[in-house]
Amino acid sequence: MKTDFLVVGSGIAGLTYALKVAEDCPDKIITVLTKTVSDETNTKYAQGGVAGVTNFDNDSFAKHIEDTLIAGDGLCDPKIVEIVVKEGVERIKEIISWGAHFDKDNSGEYALGKEGGHSEFRILHHKDVTGKEIEDTMLAAIAGKPNIHLINHCFVVDIITQHHLGYLVTKSTPDIECYGVYVLNLQKNKIEKILSKITLFATGGNGQVYRTTTNPSIATGDGVAMTYRAKGKIENMEFIQFHPTALYEAGVSGQAFLITEAVRGDGGILRNKNGDAFMEKYDVRKDLAPRDIVARAIDNEMKIYGTENVFLDCTKMDLEKFIHHFPNIYAKCKSIGIDIASQFIPVAPAAHYSCGGIKVDEWGRSSILNLFACGECASTRLHGANRLASNSLLEAMVFAHRCYVESVKKINSIEFHESIRDWNAKGTIAPKEMILITQSLKELQLLMTDYVGIVRTNERLERAMKRLDLLHDETEQLYQTTSVSPQLCELRNLITVGYLIVKSAQFRHESRGLHFNTDYPEKSDLVQNIVL
Ligand code: FAD
Ligand code: SIN
């Protein structure tokens, strides 16, 4: 198969890009691949909303920029922050023009929410299901485009580069080029080759590397792992954001239901086992301090009291307003027997967002020629050491646009590489036991949670690395000898992601933003991005 533009991912990043390219280049073919179904994305689960300056009476670009820089703890690239904050307003107008509805108040103005680290109310939202509104809008918008081919159940396995022409490709090879991808077509159960002139990775996050995460099961860091295997550059992987308030349900692991930070923005208060509001002990901004601070404070309270969770107290909030703004959360709590008007909601931190990823420049170009990346899988240096809440949907739209602008400029100068060999599955056999994969996945998630969580130490990182080495060797052996399956590919990718997180964490000899190592508790004067 051949396509002019290949888009891997159907979340906000991939679909925004596909739509723009399709409108600008009606004579070109754009193929969008997803590994399951088109709306199963991190995007669909976004709750709080999209941060952006839309009310210039109280708010300003300068304030949003400053809030982003403060949250990022000295590691954001100020130029990128300015680009995203300023261009974001245009992108918000665009998505509204494509049909996304954001809530308005009685006077017809946007009803803006507030989350941790924001100095103003500036979050546009659609109740507490903003992501679903965006995902549905984008899928409807691309459905009308005859030159966009959306193919579900196509698992991208690897990037095709000069390596597949028989050349030795290493980290120091100049001009590594992307010629397309190998994909596991799950309808045909066959690995196919897709040649593309330009490839965009919009493959989302990697929350599944931890035992409990707000991310759905698709979030296995495939794009990052594939880029690393193809010898592309990956950066700042140690900055994994733990959302402070995932719903705690005893015995439940995997995807946890999120209680949006906007609940705290509207008056929700965190309380410990004794019912004490504890955030004032940790930060003057209390419950609305940036996420890294709140998650660490919760972690500390849980350790002090030996509990698995703390509580979010919404009992003093106006019930009618709560139900109006957060109908999904209200219904979820009710479904498990929690009456938010009289009972506290049990919450605990859960892996939520990857601030690092595929290193890209200000136009979304990765270090591999003709491979672009945007959305959560990319590292643009907007978020620095800690992402400001609700900045990721904004970043995804801004960078999807920038990738579109740059790739459309290039497309006519690129030819297909016809001489790429087909996938060679000789010598592999069907896997005998799934337990080899499922048990390794459990081990991986457990070791990452226990050794590479909110608080890290040198010893824990060292232990994690030793165990990752073993899992890596066993899984590679399995990969070389058995036929490829999504489960095996995901395990392999998650082990790579785990390795990248631990390695980056080991290189960072300081505590900054989301990376807290008790052996280096202070922030260093040396401001550096870790590139692997
Ligand atoms: P995704 O939306 O995750 O899409 C990834 C796509 O890649 C999927 O289509 C998947 O099938 C495809 N894919 C991945 N690997 C492969 C492969 N190997 N082969 C083929 N296809 C593949 N951010 C905000 O700004 N505001 C919020 O309010 C907010 N709330 C959130 C709430 C939750 C519960 C979660 C989980 C995240 C939230 N975020 C929020 C973060 C934000 O939703 C994500 O960062 C963003 O949606 C990521 O979009 P994306 O397009 O990069 O990737
Ligand atoms: C939330 O709604 O709390 C999540 C917002 C985000 O991750 O940006």
Side-chain angles (χ1 to χ4, degrees):
M1 181 176 161
K2 284 186 198 166
T3 183
D4 297 301
F5 296 90
L6 178 69
V7 180
V8 187
S10 60
I12 186 170
L15 296 183
T16 303
Y17 174 86
L19 184 61
K20 284 171 173 268
V21 173
E23 283 181 347
D24 199 358
C25 309
D27 56 326
K28 304 277 189 222
I29 300 296
I30 300 107
T31 303
V32 180
L33 304 180
T34 86
K35 64 177 173 177
T36 60
V37 289
S38 45
D39 74 342
E40 190 54 358
T41 58
N42 271 8
T43 300
K44 182 174 83 173
Y45 294 91
Q47 289 191 359
V50 184
V53 183
T54 52
N55 174 355
F56 287 86
D57 293 342
N58 302 319
D59 205 359
S60 64
F61 288 143
K63 285 187 187 174
H64 189 182
I65 288 171
E66 165 124 353
D67 292 347
T68 304
L69 293 171
I70 291 173
D73 207 9
L75 207 65
C76 304
D77 179 339
K79 183 174 155 207
I80 299 295
V81 177
E82 189 174 343
I83 286 174
V84 173
V85 167
K86 290 189 173 166
E87 293 182 12
V89 178
E90 283 309 304
R91 305 286 81 81
I92 289 172
K93 284 186 193 151
E94 230 160 40
I95 200 165
I96 292 172
S97 77
W98 293 331
H101 290 104
F102 296 116
D103 295 345
K104 292 190 170 168
D105 59 22
N106 293 338
S107 56
E109 300 295 325
Y110 283 112
L112 301 173
K114 194 173 186 184
E115 293 174 18
H118 287 276
S119 56
E120 294 294 341
F121 283 80
R122 66 166 72 96
I123 320 266
L124 291 150
H125 55 86
H126 182 100
K127 307 284 181 194
D128 54 357
V129 286
T130 311
K132 182 161 176 5
E133 172 70 8
I134 289 175
E135 187 67 36
D136 291 350
T137 300
M138 295 309 302
L139 284 171
I142 66 142
K145 299 288 164 201
N147 55 337
I148 298 184
H149 300 175
L150 173 64
I151 312 177
N152 288 328
H153 304 293
C154 266
F155 191 109
V156 177
V157 176
D158 262 323
I159 300 170
I160 301 174
T161 66
Q162 289 95 325
H163 170 74
H164 301 91
L165 293 171
Y167 295 103
L168 175 71
V169 176
T170 68
K171 278 275 172 196
S172 44
T173 303
D175 298 338
I176 304 173
E177 220 172 317
C178 171
Y179 305 135
V181 297
Y182 289 113
V183 343
L184 173 57
N185 182 329
L186 294 161
Q187 317 271 18
K188 301 183 191 158
N189 203 18
K190 194 176 156 215
I191 299 243
E192 296 175 334
K193 172 178 77 185
I194 302 184
L195 299 183
S196 55
K197 292 183 178 171
I198 285 185
T199 302
L200 174 86
F201 270 5
T203 50
N206 57 33
Q208 290 290 328
V209 77
Y210 289 93
R211 196 160 66 101
T212 309
T213 172
T214 61
N215 294 190
S217 61
I218 57 113
T220 53
D222 299 350
V224 168
M226 286 188 273
T227 305
Y228 185 70
R229 276 199 296 276
K231 313 294 181 209
K233 292 189 176 146
I234 307 295
E235 74 176 358
N236 290 346
M237 289 295 288
E238 68 277 32
F239 298 118
I240 297 294
Q241 186 168 71
F242 286 78
H243 195 291
T245 56
L247 179 65
Y248 172 76
E249 295 179 84
V252 174
S253 59
Q255 187 179 1
F257 183 86
L258 184 72
I259 308 292
T260 173
E261 213 162 274
V263 171
R264 276 177 281 137
D266 279 6
I269 293 169
L270 287 163
R271 297 189 183 278
N272 62 22
K273 187 186 172 207
N274 289 350
D276 298 330
F278 55 83
M279 272 313 298
E280 60 198 59
K281 277 194 307 196
Y282 296 92
D283 196 283
V284 286
R285 291 160 290 185
K286 299 188 207 170
D287 298 84
L288 285 178
R291 248 174 225 178
D292 53 338
I293 295 168
V294 182
R296 264 198 305 279
I298 293 176
D299 187 67
N300 199 40
E301 291 292 311
M302 288 177 1
K303 282 185 179 136
I304 293 171
Y305 292 99
T307 54
E308 301 255 300
N309 64 286
V310 293
F311 296 95
L312 187 61
D313 172 8
C314 304
T315 58
K316 303 286 179 306
M317 292 169 69
D318 181 315
L319 184 61
E320 213 174 297
K321 275 198 197 148
F322 188 101
I323 296 172
H324 182 71
H325 190 168
F326 308 112
N328 193 36
I329 293 174
Y330 179 76
K332 173 71 187 180
C333 289
K334 202 169 166 200
S335 76
I336 56 168
I338 299 167
D339 170 16
I340 65 113
S342 59
Q343 290 167 290
F344 297 165
I345 307 172
V347 291
H352 181 62
Y353 185 86
S354 173
C355 295
I358 303 165
K359 178 174 163 31
V360 295
D361 68 9
E362 66 190 277
W363 294 103
R365 291 177 290 211
S366 77
S367 61
I368 297 180
L369 291 174
N370 304 333
L371 176 70
F372 289 72
C374 63
E376 190 166 340
C377 69
S379 171
T380 64
R381 300 194 177 171
L382 168 72
H383 308 305
N386 174 42
R387 176 178 65 104
L388 182 67
S390 286
N391 261 359
S392 52
L393 295 170
L394 190 74
E395 181 202 36
M397 292 192 287
V398 168
F399 270 85
H401 176 82
R402 293 189 142 244
C403 289
Y404 140 72
V405 170
E406 187 58 24
S407 55
V408 161
K409 271 193 218 154
K410 273 195 89 178
I411 188 77
N412 288 328
S413 64
I414 307 170
E415 299 293 332
F416 289 115
H417 270 260
E418 307 283 352
S419 52
I420 306 290
R421 61 179 186 234
D422 286 338
W423 182 264
N424 181 1
K426 270 203 195 114
T428 58
I429 52 163
K432 283 188 227 118
E433 298 184 306
M434 276 306 278
I435 184 86
L436 297 180
I437 295 173
T438 53
Q439 182 58 28
S440 292
L441 179 61
K442 275 191 215 153
E443 284 176 32
L444 171 70
Q445 290 169 331
L446 211 60
L447 82 87
M448 290 300 293
T449 303
D450 290 343
Y451 294 144
V452 202
I454 294 172
V455 176
R456 300 158 182 182
T457 67
N458 287 346
E459 195 178 357
R460 288 184 204 174
L461 293 175
E462 214 173 289
R463 278 192 174 206
M465 194 52 106
K466 276 192 197 147
R467 281 149 181 80
L468 277 169
D469 271 345
L470 182 63
L471 286 171
H472 172 264
D473 291 351
E474 289 171 354
T475 306
E476 278 310 300
Q477 207 212 351
L478 209 55
Y479 187 79
Q480 300 306 330
T481 51
T482 56
S483 48
V484 169
S485 65
Q487 294 84 348
L488 180 54
C489 290
E490 287 184 344
L491 172 64
R492 192 172 177 238
N493 290 338
L494 284 169
I495 290 171
T496 302
V497 165
Y499 164 82
L500 291 166
I501 296 171
V502 175
K503 197 81 208 156
S504 310
Q506 286 181 319
F507 276 131
R508 188 167 291 284
H509 291 181
E510 62 167 349
S511 288
R512 182 188 292 275
L514 297 158
H515 173 73
F516 188 77
N517 182 338
T518 55
D519 291 310
Y520 308 108
E522 303 301 328
K523 199 155 40 190
S524 149
D525 293 337
L526 180 69
V527 178
Q528 58 169 165
N529 293 285
I530 308 281
V531 181
L532 296 175

